[in-house]
Each structure stands twice: as structure tokens, then as C-alpha cells.
Amino acid sequence: MASELTRRSFLGAAGTAVAAGTAVSALSAEAAEADNKIKIVGVCCSPRKGRTTATSLQVCLEAAGEVDPDGIKVELIELAGMAIDGSLAAGIPQQPGQKDDFPELVPKLSDPKVAGIIVGTPVYFANMSSLCKAFLDRCIVFRKNKMALANKVAGVLAVGGCRNGGQELTIRSVQTALMCQEMIIVGDGRPTGHFGATVWSGGEGDVTDDAFGMATARNLGRRVAETALRFAGGAKEA
Ligand SMILES: Cc1cc2nc3c(=O)[nH]c(=O)nc-3n(C[C@H](O)[C@H](O)[C@H](O)COP(=O)(O)O)c2cc1C
């Protein structure tokens, strides 16, 4: 499947100056083409920077990028350490001196080149982290502003300390919020083929030792990328 998906059709669909054959130098055409890669963004909602959720998301994003290295850029955004207050979504005024880091995420996520977003969260009592919920609540701005996330592809990754600690429940909970944004929700692709990436961090070693969890992470990344390319006009008929 991956080989059937190319950035060329995406560029055609995007109707760029390059695709239209206007007078641009070979060099600038190349630069424009590079700039017209679609983007898949991972949003890590663990309050712990660089830990198991971030590592799993990196595996997921790597697989997404491998679907079409010439046509897809990936980026990991870690919310750890960022000030994101969910109550501001409800119209509670920002307190004098209160830091708010959410606005810097708005242009990054609403960028039309962002064709896919993968939300990763640790499992906290069989649900998403409070940071993840605050982030999703603040995403109400996208609903108010032309549904800026609509038709972007979304996937969810959940990391729990137990093998069956509520990863699937957590994934469904996040997916439900993303559906309110009119995003196109996908799960992990075959052969694991279920609801998303279900990772177990509680083994003896590194989270990457969870072979099944890593397979779901890779399959989710691939599925998001393939679907994003299709919606961007980049798929040949199977
Ligand atoms: C408040 C809290 C609640 C948790 N609840 C669960 C749970 O219900 N199920 C589970 O499998 N793991 C649970 N865990 C474990 C974390 O999901 C696990 O350690 C995860 O790998 C943390 O992700 P991080 O390393 O990216 O921070 C909980 C951890 C915390 C701090």
C-alpha cells in the first residue's frame, strides 16, 4: 500500500505553482515541492517529557514518515511543561500574569499542511491525562474558527502501566472529542487492526520492549499517513 501512495498527486491536488507549470527555476521548484510535503503531527500529552508516551509516539511518527519519505514530514510536540489551562476554554478570564502556552499551538495545528494528528496520552485511571483533557478542551477554538481541524486524519495512542490498564477506553475517550472536530478517525492498521496504539510501559525494560504495543504504534502511524495521503489526493487506485 505504501508504495501506491505518492506525494505527486498531492501536489497536483494542491494546485501549486509547480504543478501548474508556471515559470519557476528547477531549484525553486524543488524547494516548493519540499515545502509542499504534508505534515503528520504527534501531540504528546504526558506531563513527563521524553518518557514512555513520547517514545511510543516517536515510533508511531517514524512509521508515518516511512510511508512516503519524500511526501511526508513528521513533528512531535510535547505538551509537558506547557501551561495549558482547560478552564480558559469555558471563558474563565485569564488571571493577571497567568501564563498560557496554548495559543502557540493554534497555527501549528491548523496549518493546512497538517494532514494528520496523532494524540498520545498516558492512561490515568483508565482515561486520558488531565493535560490531554485540557488540551482537547482548549481545541474548542478550532470549532469556533472555521472547524480548522475538520477533515484532518486523527489517530490516538495510549500508554498504560498495565497490559490491560484501560488503553482502549482511553483511546475511545480521546477519539470522541476529536470526532467533535469533524476529524477523520482511524485506528491502527492491519495486522493488529483495532482502535489505535495500545502500549504497555510496565514491563521490565524499555517501553520499546513491548513488541505488540510497538506494532500497534507503527501500524497506527502508517494508517494515519496512508489515509492522510488519500485525502490529500495522493493515492492511486488499489
Ligand atoms: C495518576 C495515574 C494514574 C494511572 N492510571 C493507570 C491506569 O489506570 N492504567 C494503567 O495501565 N496505567 C496507569 N498509570 C500508569 C501510567 O499510565 C504509565 O506509567 C505510563 O507509562 C506513563 O506515561 P509517561 O511515561 O509518558 O508519563 C497511571 C499513572 C498515574 C500517574
Side-chain angles (χ1 to χ4, degrees), residues 208-222:
T208 57
D209 292 341
D210 174 24
F212 179 78
M214 290 302 110
T216 63
R218 281 192 300 277
N219 293 338
L220 176 67
R222 181 172 47 76

Side-chain angles (χ1 to χ4, degrees), residues 44-56 78 120-129 158-167 170 199-202 207:
C44 181
C45 303
S46 169
R48 304 196 307 163
K49 197 174 170 73
R51 302 296 289 269
T52 60
T53 310
T55 302
S56 307
E78 291 206 60
T121 178
V123 179
Y124 282 0
F125 296 118
N127 217 312
M128 68 187 88
S129 66
V159 185
C162 301
R163 174 66 272 176
N164 300 300
Q167 285 89 338
T170 301
V199 181
W200 170 39
S201 66
V207 68

Side-chain angles (χ1 to χ4, degrees), residues 38-154:
I38 64 166
K39 208 166 171 189
I40 311 276
V41 174
V43 180
C44 181
C45 303
S46 169
R48 304 196 307 163
K49 197 174 170 73
R51 302 296 289 269
T52 60
T53 310
T55 302
S56 307
L57 262 179
Q58 267 160 352
V59 169
C60 186
L61 288 172
E62 201 176 290
E66 282 167 5
V67 168
D68 184 0
D70 295 331
I72 296 176
K73 277 198 284 199
V74 298
E75 182 183 348
L76 176 66
I77 298 173
E78 291 206 60
L79 302 187
M82 293 180 78
I84 299 176
D85 182 349
S87 64
L88 298 183
I92 308 279
Q94 201 171 336
Q95 297 303 304
Q98 184 186 2
K99 200 166 169 263
D100 180 21
D101 291 325
F102 186 80
E104 75 185 62
L105 297 175
V106 172
K108 283 189 177 207
L109 297 177
S110 59
D111 182 348
K113 285 179 188 158
V114 174
I117 296 176
I118 301 169
V119 176
T121 178
V123 179
Y124 282 0
F125 296 118
N127 217 312
M128 68 187 88
S129 66
S130 54
L131 181 57
C132 188
K133 186 67 169 76
F135 165 72
L136 292 173
D137 286 351
R138 294 298 298 279
C139 284
I140 197 168
V141 298
F142 298 116
R143 264 186 75 101
K144 288 179 174 167
N145 181 18
K146 300 179 187 163
M147 298 298 287
L149 300 184
N151 297 323
K152 294 183 194 289
V153 178

